[in-house]
Amino acid sequence: MTVDEFFEKSVGEWSSQRSSHNLAWAQFEAITSDITITKKTANDDEVVSLCRQHEIAVEETDVSIAMSWEGESDWDEDEVMEGTAVMSVVKDGPANGRLLRSVGYAETIPAVGKWEMTEDGVFVLHTFYEAAAAEERIWFATPNLRMRVSLIRTSSGNGVVTASFSTEIRKLRP
Amino acid sequence: MTVDEFFEKSVGEWSSQRSSHNLAWAQFEAITSDITITKKTANDDEVVSLCRQHEIAVEETDVSIAMSWEGESDWDEDEVMEGTAVMSVVKDGPANGRLLRSVGYAETIPAVGKWEMTEDGVFVLHTFYEAAAAEERIWFATPNLRMRVSLIRTSSGNGVVTASFSTEIRKLRP
């Protein structure tokens, strides 16, 4: 699968179940959320702004998406977790490159990650933040079921602080 | 990583946190368990018996292990889940082959799965049972942290019924 096909297949509305494991305390957190992924054109204001933020020419980007989510955790059912992020793929080779994000995963600051597509169709993303590093592996179990494993490592990259697993089911139109 | 290295690194005692997602009902289950993996020699009685069961010559096996577990689920804290299984690797190529098991994952019957090691060090195992198919992906995030994603598919192989995620931390000796 190419990175373009991967993002093409990711477009849509998803119901997500996420389990997060705090490894030091052996604690579980269960999060349910709704995720919407839409495609963005290179001349979209948010894409232009993202590229400017990262000092990259819009022409260098391959595919861009916006992702928004709204969910709740069993740790605090009164608090709604929501957010939105714009992401642009830059290819440095046929199966690897950079991912620009308006909002990061481990820290809510703009981030640039390094991605690669593995031979068996897993999108692997490494992002280094100021105090942590994130590793995400995303793949399709079926065209309508996306899986995601995310690790937050210490900034040295050795220890893993939390590991989480998401299963995202495509909401089918009636 | 070769399959031999993968099994070598798996030997030890592990504390496991497992989250299981029932996809149809969007339910979460949290399981904690202790797992012990030991190496078995080819002339071990249990390995000989496993090979006989599957009609394979002991000389065809590469590495063999015994795995035992004892744990509990948040669905029923009074019930202890425990079991033991013997597994032998048969190589059909440098990075693929069969895995013989005395007890299966999706069904508690003897099972033969097909495995492959991916270029980025993931042990991928497909097992077909009578009424289901299992797909497991196991890899090391660090030498002391093993991750495992398991899917149970319908026997046709299309739908996914449950997906689970385990983080296994090596118990370090004082």
Side-chain angles (χ1 to χ4, degrees):
Chain A
M1 193 186 305
T2 65
V3 71
D4 303 79
E5 285 165 354
F6 178 86
F7 276 84
E8 200 65 60
K9 285 172 193 239
S10 298
V11 168
E13 294 186 28
W14 304 85
S15 293
S16 166
Q17 268 185 276
R18 184 151 75 96
S19 291
S20 181
H21 295 182
N22 175 313
L23 299 180
W25 302 102
Q27 284 171 324
F28 291 87
E29 182 180 7
I31 300 123
T32 50
S33 61
D34 293 308
I35 296 173
T36 302
I37 298 175
T38 51
K39 222 170 159 181
K40 290 267 184 189
T41 56
N43 60 13
D44 182 284
D45 283 351
E46 290 187 297
V47 174
V48 170
S49 153
L50 178 68
C51 288
R52 191 175 301 135
Q53 204 171 31
H54 290 289
E55 298 178 347
I56 283 176
V58 169
E59 296 70 33
E60 281 192 65
T61 65
D62 184 52
V63 55
S64 297
I65 60 161
M67 182 170 154
S68 63
W69 60 91
E70 188 178 317
E72 61 179 33
S73 158
D74 65 344
W75 283 13
D76 184 354
E77 287 177 3
D78 295 330
E79 194 196 341
V80 174
M81 303 154 87
E82 58 185 343
T84 179
V86 179
M87 300 178 201
S88 289
V89 170
V90 177
K91 276 190 192 171
D92 293 320
N96 69 288
R98 284 160 286 158
L99 183 74
L100 318 181
R101 296 208 224 192
S102 61
V103 174
Y105 170 69
E107 298 177 9
T108 55
I109 51 170
V112 183
K114 292 248 184 194
W115 62 266
E116 56 174 324
M117 289 296 307
T118 70
E119 280 191 359
D120 56 340
V122 183
F123 179 78
V124 181
L125 181 67
H126 287 95
T127 315
F128 292 89
Y129 297 92
E130 280 177 32
E135 183 180 323
E136 292 171 83
R137 302 176 69 89
I138 312 174
W139 70 97
F140 288 87
T142 77
N144 298 319
L145 176 61
R146 214 170 81 133
M147 331 272 298
R148 177 198 296 259
V149 171
S150 308
L151 305 185
I152 305 288
R153 292 181 189 265
T154 53
S155 53
S156 67
N158 294 319
V160 176
V161 183
T162 60
S164 76
F165 176 56
S166 302
T167 47
E168 301 168 351
I169 299 177
R170 191 187 299 277
K171 294 183 193 172
L172 297 173
R173 299 287 176 191
Chain B
M1 195 187 304
T2 65
V3 72
D4 303 79
E5 287 165 352
F6 178 85
F7 276 83
E8 200 64 60
K9 284 171 194 239
S10 297
V11 168
E13 295 186 28
W14 304 84
S15 293
S16 165
Q17 267 184 277
R18 183 150 77 95
S19 291
S20 181
H21 295 182
N22 176 313
L23 299 181
W25 302 101
Q27 283 172 326
F28 292 87
E29 182 179 5
I31 299 121
T32 49
S33 60
D34 293 309
I35 297 173
T36 302
I37 299 176
T38 51
K39 223 170 159 181
K40 291 268 185 190
T41 57
N43 60 12
D44 181 284
D45 283 351
E46 290 187 297
V47 174
V48 170
S49 154
L50 178 68
C51 288
R52 190 174 302 134
Q53 205 172 30
H54 290 290
E55 298 177 348
I56 283 176
V58 169
E59 295 70 33
E60 282 192 65
T61 64
D62 183 51
V63 55
S64 297
I65 60 160
M67 183 171 152
S68 63
W69 60 92
E70 188 179 318
E72 60 179 32
S73 157
D74 65 344
W75 283 13
D76 185 353
E77 288 176 3
D78 294 330
E79 195 195 339
V80 173
M81 304 156 87
E82 58 185 342
T84 179
V86 179
M87 302 178 200
S88 288
V89 170
V90 177
K91 276 190 191 171
D92 292 321
N96 68 289
R98 285 159 287 156
L99 183 74
L100 318 181
R101 295 208 224 192
S102 60
V103 173
Y105 170 70
E107 298 177 9
T108 54
I109 52 171
V112 183
K114 292 246 184 195
W115 62 266
E116 54 173 325
M117 289 295 308
T118 69
E119 281 192 357
D120 57 340
V122 183
F123 179 79
V124 182
L125 181 68
H126 287 94
T127 315
F128 292 88
Y129 297 92
E130 280 176 31
E135 183 181 323
E136 292 171 82
R137 303 175 70 87
I138 312 174
W139 70 96
F140 288 88
T142 75
N144 298 320
L145 176 60
R146 215 170 81 133
M147 331 272 298
R148 177 198 296 259
V149 171
S150 309
L151 304 185
I152 306 288
R153 293 179 189 266
T154 54
S155 53
S156 67
N158 293 320
V160 176
V161 183
T162 60
S164 76
F165 176 57
S166 302
T167 46
E168 302 167 351
I169 299 177
R170 191 187 299 276
K171 294 184 195 172
L172 297 174
R173 299 290 176 187

